Amino acid sequence: MRIRLIPPDTPKPIVITAIVLFFMFLATGLAATVHLAIEYPHDSPVLPLLFFIALAVAAFYCVVYIWQLMKKSAFRASVMHGQKVYQEQGFCRNLADMYATMPYPQEQESLIHCFLLSMAEEFEESERALNMLDQTHLLMRPFAMAATIRLRSYFLTGHLDKAERLLKNSAEKIEAAYEMKPDFLEKYYPFLDDAMEYYIIAADRALQRDEHEAAESYRKKALFRISLRDPADTALMPQILDIRRMFALGQLEEAHEAENALRGAIMQYPGITQPHRDDLLRMLAQSRLAARQFVTRNDASVQGRILPDAIEAHYYGETPDTADTSSLTAM
C-alpha cells in the first residue's frame, strides 16, 4: 500500500512553497540549536532540535492544508454561483467556462467543465477537454460521468457505432456507479445531473433494440431524477420523454403532433426564464434523434447522420440532402 505524505491533487507550486518553508524553519532551528548548545553546553540539544523539526513539519502541512481548505471553499462557492448562472442563463458556454478558469483545476472541476460543454452542445470542445484529462485512474463515479459525456456526444452527433461500443463495454460499470452515487457531488444540482442524461439515452437505445422492459426501467429512473427538479421540469420533461418514446418506436406522426403541442405549452408555461425555456425546447428538438435508428432501419435511402430537421424532412417526403440540419450543433 502506497503511503501519500500529501494529497495527490496538491499543485506543484504549493508543494514547492511548503518545502521551502520547511527548510527555512529547519535551518533556523538548527542555527538556534547550535547557539543554545554553545550558550548552555551542559544542557542537551535534543529537545530544542526536536521542537524546531516539529515546527518545520507543522509549517509544511499548514501550507498544504490551508491550500486544500481554500480550494474546497472556492469550489463550493463556484457550485453555488454555477447554480445561479444556470437559473439565469441555462446551459451555456459561460457556465461551462467557470470551471475551466479556476486556479489549478483538478479532476472534479475538469469533468464538470466537459459535462457542461456537452450540455451546451459544444461537442468538439467537450471532446477536446475530455481528452486532456487523465482518465486512466478514474474512480467509478467520475468514470460514469466521463462515459456519459462521450455517450451523449456520440448519440447527438450520429456516431451510433461508437455509442454502441461504449455501451457494450461500459454499461454495467456506469449503471453500478449511478446506483451507488446518483449525484456527482454530495448534493443534488439539476445542472450537474449526468445520471438523468444517461438514463434518457439508454432508454432510447433500448427501445430502438426492442428491449421494452429495459427501456421502461431506464425511463422510471429518468423520471425519478426529473422529480427532483423544479415544477416546470417536472411538468414538461416527462412529456418530452413520451415524445422520445414515440420517435424511438417509429410513431412519427403521433410524435410530430405531440411535439408541436408541447412546444406551444413550453412557450406559454408561466414563471420560467427564457434560457430555461430554450433548454426545454432544445431537449424537445433532440427527442427527434431517438427516431434516427428507426428511420435508418426502415428506409435504405436514408444514410449518414439524421439530425432533427432531417427526420422531419423525411417524414414529409423530402430527402436528407435537402433538409436543414443546422439546428443541432454537431461534431
Side-chain angles (χ1 to χ4, degrees):
M1 181 177 178
R2 186 176 179 182
I3 299 176
R4 295 186 181 274
L5 297 177
I6 59 174
D9 61 343
T10 306
K12 188 175 180 180
I14 301 300
V15 176
I16 292 173
T17 301
I19 291 173
V20 169
L21 195 61
F22 171 83
F23 282 108
M24 286 177 59
F25 272 87
L26 189 61
T28 302
L30 289 172
T33 300
V34 170
H35 176 74
L36 289 173
I38 294 172
E39 287 288 327
Y40 306 99
H42 300 294
D43 293 341
S44 173
V46 175
L47 289 178
L49 182 60
L50 291 176
F51 170 77
F52 283 109
I53 291 174
L55 197 62
V57 171
F60 177 89
Y61 280 105
C62 276
V63 172
V64 171
Y65 285 104
I66 286 175
W67 159 258
Q68 290 290 330
L69 181 62
M70 292 175 61
K71 176 177 174 292
K72 289 178 181 179
S73 297
F75 179 74
R76 284 195 295 268
S78 73
V79 171
M80 298 305 295
H81 184 57
Q83 176 76 348
K84 182 179 179 182
V85 173
Y86 170 68
Q87 291 171 348
E88 294 174 350
Q89 302 179 30
F91 288 114
C92 60
R93 186 63 181 266
N94 289 340
L95 176 60
D97 286 347
M98 284 177 50
Y99 297 90
T101 57
M102 295 181 67
Y104 307 109
Q106 302 298 318
E107 175 187 287
Q108 186 171 241
E109 293 91 333
S110 297
L111 279 172
I112 291 175
H113 172 61
C114 296
F115 177 71
L116 294 176
L117 283 173
S118 172
M119 294 304 296
E121 295 188 355
E122 299 283 353
F123 297 120
E124 291 184 5
E125 289 294 320
S126 176
E127 185 77 11
R128 190 178 300 115
L130 194 58
N131 287 336
M132 294 176 62
L133 178 66
D134 181 9
Q135 301 175 56
T136 57
H137 303 294
L138 289 179
L139 298 177
M140 282 187 66
R141 188 57 181 84
F143 171 84
M145 175 176 269
T148 296
I149 293 169
R150 291 193 186 280
L151 180 62
R152 176 180 163 80
S153 175
Y154 296 155
F155 187 77
L156 294 182
T157 58
H159 295 85
L160 295 185
D161 54 339
K162 294 182 179 180
E164 291 295 343
R165 285 198 299 270
L166 191 153
L167 286 171
K168 181 179 179 181
N169 296 330
S170 304
E172 290 185 5
K173 186 175 179 181
I174 296 169
E175 290 167 20
Y178 286 139
E179 288 294 328
M180 289 189 295
K181 192 175 186 294
D183 301 326
F184 185 65
L185 303 180
E186 298 305 317
K187 180 182 175 182
Y188 173 75
Y189 294 95
F191 72 105
L192 296 177
D193 195 356
D194 55 313
M196 183 189 76
E197 295 298 322
Y198 173 78
Y199 291 137
I200 289 174
I201 293 175
D204 290 343
R205 301 303 291 148
L207 281 174
Q208 290 169 351
R209 294 190 298 269
D210 295 323
E211 298 172 358
H212 297 278
E213 186 175 343
E216 185 60 24
S217 176
Y218 289 129
R219 174 184 165 83
K220 288 180 179 178
K221 292 176 180 179
L223 287 172
F224 174 76
R225 303 299 296 174
I226 290 171
S227 71
L228 303 175
R229 304 173 76 93
D230 63 25
D233 287 347
T234 56
L236 298 170
M237 280 188 176
Q239 298 181 61
I240 296 177
L241 296 193
D242 290 339
I243 293 171
R244 294 179 77 108
R245 186 175 187 278
M246 294 177 195
F247 275 120
L249 293 175
Q251 300 168 356
L252 301 185
E253 182 174 356
E254 297 91 333
H256 183 77
E257 292 176 357
E259 181 188 5
N260 285 337
L262 184 55
R263 184 179 294 109
I266 292 173
M267 295 299 295
Q268 297 173 10
Y269 197 90
I272 61 176
T273 63
Q274 187 59 45
H276 189 175
R277 205 182 308 274
D278 291 342
D279 282 338
L280 288 168
L281 290 172
R282 178 164 51 188
M283 184 179 181
L284 177 61
Q286 290 169 354
S287 66
R288 304 179 198 174
L289 293 172
R292 176 170 45 206
Q293 183 73 5
F294 174 84
V295 174
T296 305
R297 187 170 61 222
N298 289 275
D299 187 344
S301 67
V302 179
Q303 302 294 332
R305 288 186 298 180
I306 304 175
L307 298 179
D309 288 340
I311 288 177
E312 187 169 355
H314 175 78
Y315 172 75
Y316 283 115
E318 301 175 22
T319 67
D321 293 335
T322 62
D324 178 13
T325 62
S326 61
S327 66
L328 186 69
T329 304
M331 294 177 70

